[in-house]
Amino acid sequence: MKFSYVNPTLIQFGQQQIAALADLIAKDQKVLVVYGGGSIKKNGVYDQVAAALKDFDWIEFSGVGANPTIEVLDQAVKICKEQDIDFVLGVGGGSVIDGVKYIAASAVYDGEGWDIPTGKHTITSALPIGAVLTLPATGSESNQNSVVSKEATKQKLPFASPEVLPKFAIMDPDVMKTLPQRQLVNGLVDAWVHTCEQYLTFPQNALVQEGYAEALLRTLKTLGDNFENQDDAWRANLMWAANQALNGLIGSGVSQDWATHMIGHELTAAYGVDHARSLAIVQPSLLRNQFAVKKVKLEQMGKNVFGLAQSDDLAEQTIAAIEAFYHSLDVATELTEHGDDKAAAIDNIIGKLESHGMIALGENQAITLKESREILEQAVA
């Protein structure tokens, strides 16, 4: 257990916090406000942001969709360069905030922005960014991670840099009241798998990280079990749990997996599957494929998260419980979006994994293309 951990993002949590924007950005900074499809104009968030920025010089850029594409984001990069933008504010969920990170880094880079996720360019500076979170899921509002897509080539790639850590994140649970239920389910599932990626590996005697991960999983399980009873406390707990699942804390000093994410990204890029739902499709099959190395942690999760009794098949029961949890939220655990040709779909995904260098995944780097193919044989209907 050896690590360096710092998270400088200021969190403004609770109702009516969007007004704090006025004090979080310097008045002499020209601001680009980035958002998605316009739902913030229907639920009052846009009006609150505009009121907070009434004394600022700011312009807006909309149209950042789920799985943000560089084809759209590069338009915002152009605005930043032409308009001498000083600060980029993302108002939305993880996709918008991920996109803002790409915009902020690309705006100070003279080359092609796609060089960032491909690794051709290492981020050394970026415009400062802030976030007004409207959908709890990814934790992007207070971490250094981003995932962006290239529509032209159907690629979806991650990047990370401390330079794109948001300066602040405003988290008002009230904004969740108008969200579609499907998006709330996705947020819950996404946070669940984020936690699992850092927890379901092998015993490492990191008692705080493991205990905190289990507390987050129990919280998310409770929220899922009470999905029909959403109140202020329910919304606040989901927003905070999703943030804590991926702010770097539970992953500090422990081995992490992330194979579910890497394979899931390819399902999203190829077939348009919602990100969280791609994870639910891959994870149970991956856990069964990697059963021998994950058995001890699966048993620990079964006891400490699901309250299962010790038995010879406890690990198997745990995987079944994870699947049942997804099914209780009406989330599928098999891919059906590919059409009728299972073999062609698997070949397609394996080809993408290979081209992206995803040939040794997981906490032990033991998930080669052979194992990925075995996982997909189980995960594709």
Side-chain angles (χ1 to χ4, degrees):
M1 194 158 70
K2 185 177 182 182
F3 61 88
S4 175
Y5 177 74
V6 61
N7 193 320
T9 303
L10 171 70
I11 303 288
Q12 292 280 145
F13 194 96
Q15 279 85 357
Q16 275 79 57
Q17 291 287 353
I18 294 176
L21 269 176
D23 301 317
L24 294 173
I25 305 173
K27 292 289 193 300
D28 61 350
Q29 292 192 303
K30 188 172 184 180
V31 181
L32 177 66
V33 177
V34 179
Y35 58 96
S39 62
I40 65 168
K41 290 191 173 180
K42 298 172 187 170
N43 61 17
V45 172
Y46 179 90
D47 290 340
Q48 292 180 65
V49 170
L53 296 179
K54 63 182 174 61
D55 296 327
F56 288 78
D57 181 7
W58 66 281
I59 56 178
E60 62 185 72
F61 179 85
S62 64
V64 178
N67 308 302
T69 66
I70 63 161
E71 284 86 351
V72 171
L73 299 174
D74 282 342
Q75 298 172 41
V77 173
K78 188 170 182 239
I79 292 171
C80 287
K81 291 179 176 180
E82 291 177 349
Q83 301 273 348
D84 293 324
I85 295 296
D86 301 305
F87 194 97
V88 188
L89 178 67
V91 184
S95 292
V96 168
I97 300 168
D98 279 11
V100 160
K101 292 175 181 179
Y102 172 89
I103 294 166
S106 297
V108 298
Y109 174 54
D110 291 331
E112 293 289 329
W114 191 242
D115 291 347
I116 293 170
T118 60
K120 290 181 182 176
H121 170 64
T122 300
I123 299 171
T124 55
S125 64
L127 293 177
I129 67 177
V132 177
L133 185 68
T134 61
L135 170 64
T138 69
S140 188
E141 67 276 4
S142 68
N143 67 36
Q144 57 182 302
N145 308 323
S146 174
V147 183
V148 293
S149 299
K150 188 174 186 179
E151 177 63 28
T153 55
K154 301 294 184 187
Q155 291 174 284
K156 181 174 179 177
L157 295 175
F159 70 90
S161 169
E163 298 294 332
V164 295
L165 259 166
K167 303 300 179 188
F168 61 81
I170 293 176
M171 304 171 67
D172 179 351
D174 275 358
V175 304
M176 299 162 60
K177 289 179 177 178
T178 56
L179 287 174
Q181 296 302 291
R182 182 184 180 92
Q183 290 189 341
L184 287 176
V185 168
N186 287 353
L188 203 160
V189 170
D190 202 9
W192 175 274
V193 181
H194 286 160
T195 308
C196 290
E197 295 277 36
Q198 300 162 88
Y199 168 78
L200 269 181
T201 54
F202 51 86
Q204 297 173 70
N205 293 316
L207 300 182
V208 171
Q209 289 91 323
E210 292 189 10
Y212 198 5
E214 289 166 358
L216 291 171
L217 290 168
R218 286 193 300 270
T219 296
L220 293 165
K221 177 70 166 60
T222 299
L223 296 173
D225 291 345
N226 291 278
F227 192 83
E228 305 302 323
N229 304 309
Q230 296 170 22
D231 57 14
D232 287 349
W234 190 97
R235 286 185 284 271
N237 277 295
L238 177 56
M239 185 168 265
W240 189 230
N243 173 276
Q244 296 294 289
L246 200 56
N247 69 351
L249 184 58
I250 64 170
S252 294
V254 300
S255 292
Q256 302 177 29
D257 187 341
W258 298 106
T260 294
H261 269 71
M262 296 306 104
I263 299 172
H265 286 168
E266 304 300 349
L267 302 186
T268 296
Y271 304 109
V273 185
D274 295 2
H275 169 64
R277 290 166 194 264
S278 79
L279 305 179
I281 288 166
V282 173
Q283 190 195 36
S285 297
L286 186 143
L287 293 175
R288 291 187 172 104
N289 182 269
Q290 296 293 297
F291 186 82
V293 294
K294 293 182 180 289
K295 182 181 179 185
V296 175
K297 287 304 287 286
L298 282 166
E299 291 176 338
Q300 183 178 332
M301 182 177 180
K303 286 186 284 188
N304 296 346
V305 175
F306 290 105
L308 300 174
Q310 182 63 48
S311 65
D312 291 340
D313 65 345
L314 176 55
E316 292 97 328
Q317 286 186 51
T318 303
I319 298 175
I322 292 171
E323 273 189 318
F325 179 53
Y326 295 149
H327 294 161
S328 74
L329 296 167
D330 200 24
V331 173
T333 51
E334 278 189 316
L335 179 73
T336 57
E337 287 84 350
H338 61 290
D340 296 329
D341 198 337
K342 175 175 177 175
I346 292 173
D347 285 344
N348 179 33
I349 298 163
I350 292 297
K352 294 290 188 183
L353 286 168
E354 185 171 21
S355 69
H356 295 149
M358 304 296 176
I359 57 176
L361 303 174
E363 66 270 26
N364 300 306
Q365 300 290 283
I367 299 178
T368 67
L369 293 177
K370 172 180 174 291
E371 283 75 28
S372 289
R373 184 176 288 278
E374 292 169 354
I375 290 165
L376 290 166
E377 287 285 351
Q378 295 293 317
V380 177

